[in-house]
Amino acid sequence: MSKSKDKAWFALFTVPLLFIFTTVVLIPFIIGIVYSFVNWDGIPANPKVFVGFDNYVQLFQDERFLSSAWHTVQFTLLALVCVNILGLAFALLVTTKLRSRNAARTMFFMPNLIGGLILGYIWQFIFTDAFSFLGEKTGFDSVFFNWLLHPQFALYAIVAVFTWQLAGYTMIIYIAGIQGIPDELMEAAKVDGANLWQRLKSIVFPLLMPSFTICLFLTLSGAFKIYDVNLSLTKGGPSNATEMFAMNIFNEIFAYGNYGLGQAKAIIFFLIVAGLTLTQVIITKRREVQM
Amino acid sequence: MKKSGKWLLDILLFLASLVFLSPVFIMLINSFKDRAELYENALALPSSFSFEYYKSAMEKMNFFTALGNSLYVTVISVIIVIVLASMTAWMLVRTDNKLSKIIFFTFVATMLIPFQTLMMPLMQVMDWIRTNLHIPMLNTHEGLIYMNVGFTSSMAVFLYHGFIKSVPIALEEAATLDGCSKLGVFWRIVFPLLKNISVTIAILNVIALWNDYLLPSLTLSDKGLRTIPLSTFYFFGEFTIVWNQAMAGLTLTIIPVVIFYIFAQKYIIKGIAAGAVK
């Protein structure tokens, strides 16, 4: 077949998607970088004034932005631990020979399908009504009170909902990893007298490293980019105590109309997310072992 | 392990999963209660079953319109991305040159860009297309579908690319010798072989797009165009929260998801495991 014909086929197969991808992802990304260097209020008639790195300087003096960054860091660390411990525990439980394992697996995964916005609303009710009711009736009002009214506990509330959402998802990935571990290996260890913890520590966890890589990546990037749950559960409140990165960027651009500053924040956000997730993947990949 | 111990563990696991899902259960029981009953005890079973709040929630959320909108946007987006991404990935794998590598690398690299970095410039680009080329990209389902395809393409190409590399080329060569065109080879031979990974990509994208709030909230402003997450958001914003009605509304939004889960459970679990391994 002639070369030019090959090229025509290549174009026919790839150009439609490439065109959409370019207009939706690539061009906006490039324009986004440009916007981060201008001062603009988003009104087409008003001029876009080039301000150099001013926006980048300004965002580091924006206390609300810095505190949203701090909330995001706290939230991400807590979420990372909670989601993965729970997900792994679920996976270990439902890969045993227990009869209720299939039903449990189905139920553990369920919240993930419901979607962040709706989960947030369900939990808003749980925290405001069910929790206060439980606190009143049981006397455990140091645990069961409306978490959403308390700055620190409101952040924990988002961690709880996010964990509820993602634990089942990571469970599925951990299950796939656990099922890939040969039974003979576990049997041999058992025969050698290794107890459950020794088997977990020396066989299961090392061989699960690929699953850890993926699950940590998913929770890390998911937690850093959280928006839906943040919006529906707390709207960033009380008094901005739970405003995360993503919500701060959204508000800066679309609520306050600081398009340039907001976009500069968005670029910084990209650099942090990309840097963090790449570092994490490289570190955990290095610890993966070959069988 | 002793038999009795296993029994106990079995029951404990089942109870744990029930507790895990209890927020859904609490939502369900409160959707049937009247206001007084709800505030009296949020955890008790309803004394009578009234579907009254479902009716009013359904009207206020414009439920069936939203359901139709969500179905339309999700299904069409997923079909288009499956078709275009599989074609693109196949060509990229089978054409071994620098250009293919650059294109593939670009798709993969952009997976690191969070949506928040693109949202404002994206709206500017779409607005530019609307005013200068007179193509209605904003405030139409088709525009939203276009953007959905763009955002889901990276991951889809990435997953197809990995999968196609393991598909032997012999069958394709035989078909080419028999006079099949590239389009014929792809649709008759290759695409059917990609069924498993196509299902995976479809599942992952259905979940993501069905639940997506941010992009639709930026592109759709007409009330009649709202998808389910959007109508839920406005439902909570426009009406001061009447919790029993709100619970009925939330239950409504979960019903389609539960139906989907019941029918596609096997594929969902498999799809997520397969999608993660790559």
Side-chain angles (χ1 to χ4, degrees):
Chain A
M1 210 186 291
S2 67
K3 268 253 159 89
S4 63
K5 214 171 171 191
D6 267 355
K7 272 185 189 156
W9 279 118
F10 187 83
L12 181 74
F13 273 68
T14 58
V15 164
L17 191 70
L18 270 177
F19 183 82
I20 301 176
F21 173 73
T22 307
T23 50
V24 172
V25 179
L26 286 184
I27 293 176
F29 184 63
I30 294 160
I31 294 180
I33 296 173
V34 177
Y35 271 121
S36 72
F37 294 106
V38 301
N39 197 350
W40 185 43
D41 59 5
I43 297 164
N46 289 351
K48 295 169 185 137
V49 185
F50 181 77
V51 293
F53 281 93
D54 275 12
N55 289 328
Y56 287 95
V57 175
Q58 206 187 328
L59 70 87
F60 284 108
Q61 290 154 355
D62 179 347
E63 269 178 39
R64 192 162 159 189
F65 180 66
L66 296 178
S67 81
S68 82
W70 173 234
H71 302 145
T72 311
V73 170
Q74 277 182 294
F75 168 76
T76 304
L77 287 175
L78 283 170
L80 212 57
V81 173
C82 294
V83 169
N84 287 287
I85 288 184
L86 203 61
L88 185 59
F90 285 168
L92 289 169
L93 278 172
V94 301
T95 44
T96 53
K97 293 198 172 69
L98 296 173
R99 241 173 306 173
S100 51
R101 66 178 187 271
N102 286 332
R105 186 194 310 218
T106 305
M107 290 196 257
F108 287 147
F109 181 73
M110 179 78 201
N112 193 272
L113 286 170
I114 297 174
L117 192 86
I118 288 159
L119 294 185
Y121 287 127
I122 297 176
W123 278 86
Q124 204 188 330
F125 177 71
I126 304 288
F127 283 121
T128 46
D129 276 81
F131 262 43
S132 12
F133 178 81
L134 265 178
E136 251 168 59
K137 289 285 140 149
T138 59
F140 288 113
D141 50 6
S142 52
V143 181
F144 296 113
F145 60 95
N146 189 348
W147 286 18
L148 304 179
L149 298 176
H150 185 288
Q152 197 61 34
F153 278 86
L155 194 76
Y156 299 152
I158 306 178
V159 174
V161 179
F162 186 76
T163 304
W164 197 57
Q165 179 181 20
L166 224 62
Y169 200 91
T170 53
M171 170 191 75
I172 302 285
I173 297 165
Y174 284 125
I175 290 173
I178 291 169
Q179 284 170 342
I181 298 173
D183 284 340
E184 306 93 71
L185 221 57
M186 297 296 277
E187 289 303 323
K190 244 187 216 172
V191 172
D192 289 345
N195 64 30
L196 182 66
W197 174 244
Q198 284 169 327
R199 270 177 281 150
L200 282 178
K201 208 183 83 184
S202 323
I203 299 176
V204 178
F205 291 162
L207 288 177
L208 269 186
M209 273 326 272
S211 305
F212 281 120
T213 303
I214 299 152
C215 290
L216 291 177
F217 172 80
L218 282 173
T219 25
L220 187 65
S221 61
F224 234 86
K225 293 189 271 191
I226 190 169
Y227 180 78
D228 296 19
V229 174
N230 198 185
L231 180 72
S232 59
L233 189 67
T234 65
K235 284 202 186 78
S239 58
N240 299 332
T242 59
E243 187 182 69
M244 307 275 185
F245 246 141
M247 185 175 272
N248 186 280
I249 294 168
F250 183 91
N251 289 340
E252 193 67 66
I253 298 174
F254 295 110
Y256 309 132
N258 298 323
Y259 276 53
L261 178 61
Q263 190 55 29
K265 289 179 176 180
I267 298 292
I268 293 288
F269 185 57
F270 157 68
L271 292 174
I272 295 175
V273 173
L276 266 183
T277 46
L278 276 182
T279 315
Q280 176 260 316
V281 169
I282 290 168
I283 291 174
T284 44
K285 272 251 179 230
R286 214 177 278 158
R287 302 188 61 138
E288 284 179 15
V289 286
Q290 295 295 321
M291 248 193 310
Chain B
M1 208 184 297
K2 275 197 217 118
K3 259 215 164 138
S4 59
K6 203 181 154 188
W7 249 92
L8 198 68
L9 267 178
D10 223 338
I11 292 167
L12 278 178
L13 180 61
F14 192 70
L15 285 179
S17 54
L18 282 183
V19 170
F20 192 75
L21 264 197
S22 61
V24 175
F25 180 70
I26 293 172
M27 169 195 76
L28 190 67
I29 55 176
N30 285 295
S31 66
F32 294 108
K33 294 180 192 168
D34 64 38
R35 283 183 91 166
E37 210 191 337
L38 183 144
Y39 288 114
E40 201 177 298
N41 183 346
L43 300 178
L45 287 170
S47 58
S48 65
F49 283 91
S50 156
F51 282 91
E52 192 185 322
Y53 310 109
Y54 280 87
K55 217 180 129 207
S56 54
M58 215 177 249
E59 276 163 21
K60 285 184 180 156
M61 290 180 76
N62 238 329
F63 181 71
F64 286 108
T65 314
L67 184 68
N69 292 342
S70 272
L71 274 174
Y72 176 66
V73 169
T74 308
V75 171
I76 304 292
S77 302
V78 170
I79 291 176
I80 295 177
V81 84
I82 292 281
V83 169
L84 294 185
S86 60
M87 286 170 66
T88 304
W90 181 65
M91 230 0 154
L92 293 180
V93 174
R94 294 297 181 235
T95 314
D96 189 22
N97 62 22
K98 228 181 197 155
L99 182 64
S100 307
K101 286 200 183 92
I102 292 172
I103 295 174
F104 179 63
F105 177 76
T106 313
F107 273 117
V108 175
T110 54
M111 285 164 75
L112 289 169
I113 306 175
F115 177 74
Q116 280 81 6
T117 305
L118 299 171
M119 63 185 176
M120 187 272 273
L122 175 73
M123 289 307 114
Q124 302 298 322
V125 171
M126 293 301 141
D127 197 46
W128 186 89
I129 294 176
R130 183 178 60 173
T131 42
N132 294 296
L133 307 175
H134 304 291
I135 305 169
M137 299 306 286
L138 294 174
N139 210 15
T140 57
H141 285 146
E142 290 70 24
L144 176 60
I145 289 169
Y146 185 88
M147 286 177 251
N148 278 340
V149 171
F151 282 119
T152 47
S153 57
S154 295
M155 188 198 62
V157 168
F158 176 65
L159 291 176
Y160 272 127
H161 198 276
F163 191 86
I164 291 168
K165 271 197 288 189
S166 65
V167 177
I169 198 167
L171 221 55
E172 296 167 30
E173 283 169 346
T176 310
L177 286 179
D178 287 345
C180 227
S181 75
K182 292 236 174 187
L183 214 53
V185 171
F186 182 77
W187 285 114
R188 284 194 215 152
I189 315 276
V190 181
F191 193 73
L193 291 174
L194 304 180
K195 196 186 137 214
N196 284 340
I197 192 74
S198 296
V199 171
T200 294
I201 294 168
I203 295 269
L204 293 174
N205 285 329
V206 164
I207 298 171
L209 296 181
W210 183 269
N211 291 321
D212 191 20
Y213 163 76
L214 195 47
L215 181 60
S217 81
L218 289 170
T219 57
L220 305 176
S221 46
D222 275 4
K223 221 174 162 177
L225 297 178
R226 282 174 192 165
T227 57
I228 290 215
L230 274 185
S231 78
T232 314
F233 177 77
Y234 286 105
F235 178 65
F236 272 81
E238 278 170 28
F239 310 99
T240 39
I241 296 179
V242 183
W243 274 119
N244 50 359
Q245 192 181 292
M247 290 301 120
L250 290 177
T251 308
L252 281 174
T253 64
I254 291 177
I255 292 171
V257 174
V258 172
I259 295 173
F260 173 65
Y261 193 29
I262 290 170
F263 283 104
Q265 197 195 353
K266 197 177 93 194
Y267 300 101
I268 293 172
I269 306 266
K270 256 199 218 155
I272 282 161
V277 174
K278 298 281 158 174

